[in-house]
Amino acid sequence: MDKAFDPTQVEPRWRARWEELGVGHADASSDRPAFAIALPPPNVTAELHLGHAASFGVQDTLARWHRMLGDEVEWCPGTDHAAIATQNVIERQLAGEGVTKEEIGRAAFDARVVEWYASTGNRIYDQMKALGFTCDWARSRFTLDEPYVRAIRVVFKRLYDDGLIYRGPRIVNWCPRNLSAVSDEEVTWEEHEDTLVELRYPVEGGGSITVATVRPETMLGDTAVAVAPGDPRHRDLVGRTVILPLTGRRVPIIEDEAVEPEFGTGALKVTPGHDATDYEIGARHGLPVLTVISPEGRMDVPELPAFHGLDVVNARTAVTAALREAGVVMGERPYTHEVGHCDRCGEVLEPLVSAQWWVRMAELAAPALAAVEQGRIRFHPERYTASYVSWMRRIRDWCISRQLWLGHAIPVSTCANGHRFAWVDEPMSCPECGDASLTHDPDVLDTWFSSALWPFAIFGWPQDTADLRRFYPTRVLGTGRDIIFLWVARMIMMGLRFTGDIPFSDVLINSTIQAADGSRMSKSKGNGVDPLDMIASYGADAVRAWTAAVGTAGQDMRFDEKRIAAYRTFANKLWNVTRLLLVRLGSADASVIPAPPDVAPADLRVEDRWFLSKLAETVEGVGSAMEQFRFHDAIERLYHAVWDVYCDWYVELVKPRLGSDPTAAWTAVTGLDVLLRLLHPIMPFVTEECAAHLPAAAATLQRRDWPRPPGWWSAPDDAVDAVDELIALAGALRARRQEARVPPREVIEVTLGAGARLLPAADVVRLLEATPMLWARVVDTAPEQATPLRVVAAGAEATLHVATAASASDRAQLEAQRDRVAGRIEQVRGKLRTPGFTEKAPEHVVAGARAELAELEDQLASVERILGEEAA
RNA sequence: GGGCGGAUAGCUCAGACGGUCAGAGCGCCUCGCUUACACCGAGGAGGUCGCAGGUUCGAUCCCUGCUCCGCCCACCA
């Protein structure tokens, strides 16, 4: 057995073992309580980064924990076809080869897609397996799988037939690169510095009106000028007609509440075809909608050859120049504003009017809002509830059609007689008139439309499957805050609509992992971190422990590799303490420690009981931390329990009797076994490897129960409490020893002074002598010719008698302690004397202060007595 | 323009109900190669908990204002 724990040796073995045993595979026919998580299907075009790891890591921890609690756990994995993102990737690949998708054709394009999915899909699963995730791989789903596609069509058709899906021309966020609409939620707003141009439009019959715009090129499509209702500056112009420069078109001056009188000149050029606000104004006033920009983002004004065909940026320059020449440009100044970009490709979006498919949201949103407001679905951290609620309350219709090659076809056809209908199975003829010349809708669905069905579609919906009955609703959804609207909200809406039940009860929002400098981790910046690299350096357990420590704060977190490294040493610690037990308790060549005989509680020594009481406390604390999704709390408690309590104190104190006293062996072995089980959901590999050397070994810790300590472990016991005091005394002795520069290993003799609250003398002697790095021998009487160094701590006092001490410091130390204690006494007395404290503070706080004061006074008395004795 | 989150040791972060909460890991300093572990052990230094007010017997924790940083939402062109 190697001294150092080597994850690379151990991990593949346990991964294979879990796979063989089918740990992750759920049995829908079992009678255990169900616990299901639908893994957020990663975008197939992405590889996992640390952010995914943080979110998925805690999901596996929950899955493993619930298995140990006796639940039938279904953690269903899958991947998402991510239509728009994938199409972008493939198109970029093609561009690199100097061809376009149109040139290679649809079939070749589809082949490329399939190939791409196969390669990246596997990569993601490999990463997840490397982290030890126990997903139910056999049930894994892909959103392009046939049954899944069917579920989508069923949903679409039902919504269509219920009148909740409609098609119609409206202004949309149009991506000129993808040549597709995108929804409002897929717009990224970025600050742009542009020029705000003021244009003076002549008014028919004399006068003029000046408007301000950052998009002069759109003036070719103006169909009105609007002013704020009742604006005195423009009152006489309302109802008159503007003659537009360049086009000569005559458009009305109207009043509309959307106009901010404070902004610019208080007059707004209205371009319903190319601005969302203007579109609404136009709708209110029945203005014509002119389209002057093509889907490709080029000016579409054949009647104006000077501008026709220019892209919008050049058109802006050209139009502005022409307007300048016409003498209507009254001012130009720099102006910073927000411009919408395609969140997939980064292209500046062009608002334009186009016929798209929409989902009416009001009816879907109402129950989804209620489910959260009533607390049937809870967000963690809770604050995300508020943003969900406010978004939900002013939800707008959802544009679900995309003009892409890749994705789920919109299942709608139209016959030659103009009958339009939605279908589930591809139709051969019109159900209404029987006409067989059908035209299929050319568009595909927004990827998020299919994702919205994830929690029930993965279990076979719309079939009434055993899986669906058993595992839906799921319990926990872990995801990032950036897709609360895009995905979480829509799953809730669709879940309620189509299953009548919430899709999950708890939404865990994971932390956002930033680069070390606080910037966003991204592939393009090259500052992303691959979990596999971290696994290679520190082991999967360390990465997972880190995800527990940082994963669910719901907070931005700067990545600090040192924190992962810390958990590697922790795994190593665990491994080595296991080795210690093996060395001390195992037979010569055995790799498993024989089971120590059961013990009667009365046979245990006080330090054993002390440890078991700490352990019971840990079980309790870790359990409640896990219940509340406080994984950082769980890992911190375990780290402390393993390292400080078990390794540094209990094991050290018990070493002298470990080989000879079966009760010590029982406690040490039982304790480690409990700790390993507690830690297993977070750090599965090292805990399995260690547990395999313990007598209670099972094929996997996943088949062991979550620890439930018997009541006597935590029974109140003064002697057990006294061990804490003894440890404090031992610590103080070590400190005094080092302060006095007693050379290491030089045995000091210790006499015990007043120590009424400590243990029986025999225990004190035994435990002090077992304390490592103290090298103490407890004697009854002070030896001659040795310098006494007095220590007062935790209600006891002791004296070190040392031969080679720099003893002059003793008195100074005691005086310093006296001053410190006296100072603290003053503080506490001051608090007790504060007017109102004793009357208004709760009883236990007052009692606590009095108890502290009494203890401090005791301590001060001891110190002063010793100082007095020395002076005498 | 609204809203939310953060500001705690040199660094990265914990701090449930306001009163043993001033903490952890790393880093730093001093000792120590003690047969579980140098991926170690022992000891130690280091913080007026962003700033200013307020509420309270008492505030890192509550309220108000302010200053930085980040995010979300929003039809001022």
Side-chain angles (χ1 to χ4, degrees), chain A residues 22 65 158 213 216 325 334 381 447 498 500 557 577 704 771 798:
Chain A
W65 181 48
R158 288 193 193 169
T213 181
E325 205 156 307
T447 302
F498 290 98
M557 191 84 60
V577 80
R704 300 278 309 281
T771 299

Side-chain angles (χ1 to χ4, degrees), chain A residues 35-55:
Chain A
F35 179 88
I37 300 177
L39 178 88
N43 187 331
V44 265
T45 63
E47 290 176 2
L48 292 191
H49 55 255
L50 279 176
H52 288 115
S55 177

Side-chain angles (χ1 to χ4, degrees), chain A residues 17 47 55 152 263 432 438 447 477 525-526 595 611 672 766 834:
Chain A
R17 171 73 65 85
E47 290 176 2
S55 177
I152 293 166
F263 189 90
E432 205 165 319
L438 300 176
T447 302
L477 177 81
K525 280 193 215 153
F611 168 64
L672 182 58
R766 184 165 50 79
T834 306

Side-chain angles (χ1 to χ4, degrees), chain A residues 167 357 401 409-414 420 423 439-444:
Chain A
R167 181 175 155 89
W357 290 92
S401 47
I410 292 199
V412 170
S413 298
T414 310
R420 191 168 70 188
W423 43 262
T439 311
H440 294 324
D441 192 282
D443 291 350
V444 298

Side-chain angles (χ1 to χ4, degrees), chain A residues 26 43-44 105 110 140 151 153 161 198 248 264 267 313 335 447 466 587 591 652 660 717 748 766 773 776 832 841:
Chain A
N43 187 331
V44 265
D110 289 348
S140 66
R153 290 177 182 167
D161 292 346
E198 291 189 354
V313 176
Y335 183 70
T447 302
S587 51
S591 67
E652 292 297 345
S660 56
D717 187 335
I748 52 174
R766 184 165 50 79
M773 312 303 289
L832 281 163

Side-chain angles (χ1 to χ4, degrees), chain A residues 122-139:
Chain A
N122 288 336
R123 165 87 174 160
I124 284 172
Y125 283 159
D126 287 348
Q127 286 174 305
M128 292 175 62
K129 286 175 179 171
L131 281 161
F133 292 169
T134 46
C135 299
D136 192 349
W137 303 109
R139 282 187 171 85

Side-chain angles (χ1 to χ4, degrees), chain A residues 475-809:
Chain A
R475 282 275 268 290
V476 168
L477 177 81
T479 191
R481 61 168 184 246
D482 51 332
I483 53 177
I484 291 175
F485 306 146
L486 282 169
W487 191 45
V488 179
R490 287 161 180 171
M491 280 192 287
I492 297 173
M493 290 189 265
M494 293 298 193
L496 286 166
R497 177 83 184 184
F498 290 98
T499 71
D501 208 344
I502 52 173
F504 34 71
S505 54
D506 293 273
V507 180
L508 265 49
I509 301 299
N510 59 267
S511 309
T512 304
I513 309 301
Q514 304 172 326
D517 62 1
S519 66
R520 196 182 278 255
M521 266 195 193
S522 78
K523 232 185 230 174
S524 53
K525 280 193 215 153
N527 60 357
V529 179
D530 186 340
L532 291 180
D533 293 341
M534 292 297 107
I535 293 171
S537 302
Y538 307 108
D541 287 321
V543 177
R544 293 176 57 116
W546 170 82
T547 72
V550 307
T552 51
Q555 202 52 59
D556 289 351
M557 191 84 60
R558 291 182 182 210
F559 178 60
D560 180 6
E561 194 171 330
K562 294 279 178 53
R563 287 187 76 171
I564 297 182
Y567 291 112
R568 176 184 62 164
T569 69
F570 181 53
N572 187 245
K573 189 73 178 176
L574 216 46
W575 171 241
N576 273 290
V577 80
T578 304
R579 286 181 59 233
L580 169 71
L581 295 195
L582 197 53
V583 169
R584 300 292 178 98
L585 301 174
S587 51
D589 52 345
S591 67
V592 176
I593 298 165
D598 272 349
V599 298
D603 294 338
L604 294 173
R605 299 279 178 99
V606 68
E607 64 270 31
D608 303 327
R609 284 184 282 130
W610 170 82
F611 168 64
L612 292 174
S613 80
K614 296 286 182 205
L615 192 56
E617 202 180 303
T618 303
V619 174
E620 164 66 30
V622 171
S624 81
M626 300 274 272
E627 257 165 37
Q628 300 168 61
F629 309 115
R630 299 168 48 86
F631 302 100
H632 64 283
D633 193 358
I635 187 65
E636 270 169 31
R637 284 170 189 274
L638 286 163
Y639 189 99
H640 169 70
V642 167
W643 205 307
D644 304 333
V645 177
Y646 187 68
C647 294
D648 285 351
W649 280 105
Y650 180 66
V651 168
E652 292 297 345
L653 290 178
V654 89
K655 260 181 187 171
R657 34 186 284 260
L658 196 51
S660 56
D661 181 350
T663 63
W666 180 87
T667 309
V669 170
T670 303
L672 182 58
D673 181 68
V674 168
L675 287 169
L676 291 173
R677 279 185 284 157
L678 293 178
L679 203 43
H680 177 262
I682 298 175
M683 303 178 75
F685 294 102
V686 66
T687 50
E688 291 273 31
E689 188 67 14
C690 292
H693 296 288
L694 299 187
T700 166
L701 287 174
Q702 281 293 77
R703 300 276 157 82
R704 300 278 309 281
D705 290 335
W706 186 249
R708 267 184 303 254
W712 64 268
W713 285 18
S714 46
D717 187 335
D718 288 343
V720 164
D721 295 341
V723 173
D724 282 321
E725 290 173 359
L726 184 74
I727 283 173
L729 179 66
L733 286 166
R734 281 202 294 226
R736 286 297 275 125
R737 200 194 143 103
Q738 289 213 10
E739 278 160 15
R741 306 221 159 245
V742 181
R745 301 161 161 289
E746 181 176 312
V747 174
I748 52 174
E749 300 202 317
V750 173
T751 53
L752 297 170
R757 296 169 60 197
L758 281 182
L759 300 162
D763 285 325
V764 175
V765 168
R766 184 165 50 79
L767 295 176
L768 280 185
E769 292 186 358
T771 299
M773 312 303 289
L774 182 55
W775 295 289
R777 189 153 66 83
V778 181
V779 297
D780 286 336
T781 50
E784 307 274 325
Q785 291 177 324
T787 309
L789 296 176
R790 308 299 193 74
V791 173
V792 177
E797 57 187 72
T799 307
L800 294 69
H801 303 277
V802 297
T804 56
S807 58
S809 64

Side-chain angles (χ1 to χ4, degrees), chain A residues 263-285:
Chain A
F263 189 90
T265 59
L268 171 69
K269 63 187 267 312
V270 182
T271 319
H274 296 288
D275 183 277
T277 308
D278 294 5
Y279 183 80
E280 283 168 26
I281 295 174
R284 281 195 285 271
H285 296 270

